[in-house]
Amino acid sequence: MKTDSIFYRLFQEFPNIFFELIGNSPETANLYQFSSVEVKQTAFRIDGVFLPIQDEEVPIYFVEVQFQPDTDIYLRLVSEISLYLRQNKRKNSWRGVVIYPSRDIDKGEKQDLWEFFHSQRISLIYLDELGEAASLPLGIATIKLVIEEEDTAISTARELINRIQQSVNLQLPQKQLLELIETILVYKFPKMSREEIEAMFGLSDLKQTRVYQEGRLEAKLEAVPKLLVLGLTVEQVAQALDLDVAQVQQVEQRTQSNE
């Protein structure tokens, strides 16, 4: 699994984490929907975009996760954004956010684009400079788990899982976050199976509880309308989410009746 796909999944499921990461109130996420966008007649695809909901007068956020050195990243990012704005004619202002594991990976040429950085039109985030995981909000601490060294990733993951389990009134987003931690661990320890990781961290016992199973089903059902909007058929959505076709059809009908 590519590292950036973990981040885009995280921002899709927990958009509030992104806004915490850039220093905004987590509630700002209520004004946005996260998606990827195509720029027509080019080879450009912008994988991470927070688009304002209902023409809210807030900026569009273009997100780039960069774990490999790339001298052209800023020229490419500004080019993609400019083409998107030209084609979509949105009235909103915009911001760019580039997320790096560490400062030494940032090799992008800035000499022709200093104005964007001085004005904070484009901001840079270096994950290893965010602080210790124990002192960070749960979502941001989970982001840091991606860059954790193997010899400390296990202990850090255990601390995160304990924080989740000890939370009062465990809510659905936290259950999704637990699954995301598991996915990150599978990515970091490719020689271990998912079952082995679940056993190591006691996740298998937690997943057998009725509350967890109900929460997981609810999360899948909430994802159905988003996948249908993207153009997937009912059968494709059912297969992707491991649901019955009838369950997907019920959500589709309920969504249509509410429009």
Side-chain angles (χ1 to χ4, degrees):
M1 177 180 290
K2 292 176 61 179
T3 304
D4 56 358
S5 66
I6 293 177
F7 283 85
Y8 295 131
R9 171 183 167 182
L10 188 148
F11 293 147
Q12 176 75 54
E13 297 182 5
F14 305 96
N16 58 300
I17 294 176
F18 170 76
F19 291 99
E20 279 189 299
L21 192 61
I22 63 174
N24 287 5
S25 167
E27 287 74 23
T28 308
N30 297 328
L31 304 176
Y32 290 88
Q33 62 177 1
F34 181 76
S35 63
S36 60
V37 296
E38 296 281 357
V39 181
K40 299 176 183 178
Q41 297 177 345
T42 75
F44 290 152
R45 179 180 180 84
I46 306 175
D47 290 321
V49 184
F50 283 94
L51 294 171
I53 299 173
Q54 298 179 344
D55 296 325
E56 292 281 352
E57 293 183 2
V58 289
I60 302 170
Y61 285 94
F62 296 92
V63 188
E64 185 81 18
V65 178
Q66 192 65 30
F67 270 54
Q68 299 294 329
D70 181 356
T71 56
D72 291 335
I73 181 173
Y74 301 125
L75 286 171
R76 187 179 72 251
L77 179 62
V78 171
S79 298
E80 292 171 353
I81 292 172
S82 298
L83 279 171
Y84 173 82
L85 296 173
R86 178 185 176 190
Q87 292 180 1
N88 290 274
K89 309 295 185 185
R90 296 186 70 103
K91 297 179 181 178
N92 305 75
S93 61
W94 65 270
R95 301 287 186 275
V97 179
V98 185
I99 300 172
Y100 289 100
S102 57
R103 193 176 292 269
D104 61 303
I105 300 297
D106 181 4
K107 302 297 185 183
E109 295 289 345
K110 303 182 180 74
Q111 59 185 14
D112 294 323
L113 303 168
W114 279 117
E115 294 85 353
F116 291 105
F117 298 97
H118 287 314
S119 65
Q120 297 187 327
R121 177 78 77 170
I122 296 177
S123 57
L124 309 176
I125 293 174
Y126 305 107
L127 297 179
D128 65 340
E129 299 179 11
L130 293 176
E132 295 298 321
S135 63
L136 294 171
L138 195 55
I140 297 179
T142 301
I143 288 180
K144 282 208 66 180
L145 182 60
V146 177
I147 65 167
E148 198 79 31
E149 297 293 338
E150 286 191 11
D151 58 345
T152 57
I154 291 177
S155 60
T156 301
R158 283 202 173 103
E159 291 172 3
L160 286 171
I161 292 169
N162 287 336
R163 287 175 63 183
I164 292 173
Q165 292 175 317
Q166 292 171 8
S167 297
V168 178
N169 298 323
L170 192 64
Q171 299 297 316
L172 175 62
Q174 291 177 317
K175 296 184 181 71
Q176 289 175 280
L177 193 57
L178 189 64
E179 290 188 345
L180 188 63
I181 291 172
E182 182 181 334
T183 299
I184 294 171
L185 292 172
V186 171
Y187 160 79
K188 294 191 73 67
F189 299 99
K191 293 182 179 180
M192 296 180 64
S193 68
R194 187 173 289 269
E195 290 73 20
E196 289 173 326
I197 288 174
E198 288 181 0
M200 177 185 293
F201 292 96
L203 296 174
S204 54
D205 293 337
L206 177 63
K207 288 186 172 184
Q208 297 306 313
T209 65
R210 180 177 60 82
V211 172
Y212 186 94
Q213 293 295 336
E214 289 177 353
R216 188 176 183 185
L217 174 60
E218 186 176 346
K220 290 182 178 181
L221 296 177
E222 287 182 354
V224 168
K226 298 176 183 178
L227 295 178
L228 291 172
V229 168
L230 292 175
L232 274 68
T233 66
V234 169
E235 291 75 15
Q236 288 171 328
V237 172
Q239 183 177 4
L241 297 177
D242 193 22
L243 294 170
D244 294 334
V245 170
Q247 290 175 302
V248 177
Q249 290 174 332
Q250 288 176 357
V251 176
E252 180 184 34
Q253 292 170 0
R254 190 162 59 245
T255 303
Q256 292 174 346
S257 66
N258 291 333
E259 292 178 351

